[in-house]
Amino acid sequence: MTEEMTIISMEAYRAAKEVLEAAKLQAGALFVVGCSTSEVGGAGIGTFSSPELAEAVFGGIYQAAQEASVYLAAQCCEHLNRALILEKEAADRYGYEIVNVVPQPKAGGSFATAAYKAFEHPAAVEHIKAHAGMDIGDTLIGMHLRDVAVPLRIRTKQIGDAHVVCARTRPKYIGGGRAAYDEGLL
């Protein structure tokens, strides 16, 4: 791995670790990541897909996810309707229907392709409700988060040249003004 790729992998690891710590996820939670390698490399989204950059970014994020014992879900690009690649075990655990598609750099994106190659038993699904997420390069992961998303501000603002936006989720408040809430779930 070149020095530049090592730096990008370290940035990705640091950002994912910050999100996972701030979100206080339990083991087995879902962490969704969307990544434009074009943006990481300084180009416009969808214009410069890079398997090498994807492997560097994915490697750093996957290491942080494994250390936190959470499932990583890699969002595909719009050419696969933003389907997700995750371990079959996670799809089974959460009851997600598996669909048949194998991402490629220009149809699914390099990041999802890297995930498909790295996971032990990769599976594709169309929808998830993740507990937290990281959007690298403005790829729009919001549709894959649980209903109440809360922005997370982390120190790592970029990976390569790509803008990073993060979120955690929390249960909905119900019951109105007379209701009491569990502070541990906020």
Side-chain angles (χ1 to χ4, degrees), residues 1 7 28 31 50 74 84 89 93 96-97 107-108 116 121 129-130 157 171 175:
M1 188 180 294
I7 290 168
F31 177 47
S50 170
L84 302 118
E89 177 182 324
R93 177 178 180 165
Y96 297 135
E97 182 179 353
Y116 195 90
H121 300 288
K129 289 291 184 181
K157 305 293 184 204

Side-chain angles (χ1 to χ4, degrees), residues 52-91:
E52 297 78 22
L53 276 174
E55 289 172 13
V57 174
F58 178 82
I61 293 168
Y62 193 40
Q63 180 182 345
Q66 289 179 310
E67 289 172 4
S69 299
V70 299
Y71 292 113
L72 177 59
Q75 179 183 262
C76 295
C77 73
E78 74 275 11
H79 297 102
L80 295 185
N81 298 330
R82 303 214 186 282
L84 302 118
I85 306 302
L86 67 166
E87 287 285 2
K88 182 181 182 304
E89 177 182 324

Side-chain angles (χ1 to χ4, degrees), residues 27-186:
L30 288 170
F31 177 47
V32 64
V33 176
C35 175
S36 167
T37 58
S38 300
E39 292 278 334
V40 171
I45 196 166
T47 63
F48 186 71
S49 190
S50 170
E52 297 78 22
L53 276 174
E55 289 172 13
V57 174
F58 178 82
I61 293 168
Y62 193 40
Q63 180 182 345
Q66 289 179 310
E67 289 172 4
S69 299
V70 299
Y71 292 113
L72 177 59
Q75 179 183 262
C76 295
C77 73
E78 74 275 11
H79 297 102
L80 295 185
N81 298 330
R82 303 214 186 282
L84 302 118
I85 306 302
L86 67 166
E87 287 285 2
K88 182 181 182 304
E89 177 182 324
D92 291 343
R93 177 178 180 165
Y94 286 96
Y96 297 135
E97 182 179 353
I98 294 172
V99 295
N100 188 359
V101 70
V102 176
Q104 305 296 310
K106 292 289 187 181
S110 291
F111 185 76
T113 302
Y116 195 90
K117 289 178 180 177
F119 288 154
E120 189 173 340
H121 300 288
V125 300
E126 290 185 284
H127 308 283
I128 66 170
K129 289 291 184 181
H131 301 93
M134 183 165 57
D135 186 324
I136 305 165
D138 304 316
T139 61
L140 305 174
I141 62 162
M143 68 188 82
H144 298 304
L145 293 170
R146 293 186 328 171
D147 289 342
V148 184
V150 179
L152 280 178
R153 305 288 183 232
I154 64 172
R155 290 182 307 277
T156 305
K157 305 293 184 204
Q158 288 185 208
I159 296 174
D161 288 337
H163 178 237
V164 175
V165 176
C166 306
R168 66 174 178 86
T169 62
R170 65 161 175 77
K172 296 176 184 180
Y173 294 144
I174 64 167
R178 292 194 264 177
Y181 300 107
D182 180 344
E183 295 292 321
L185 295 177
L186 303 180

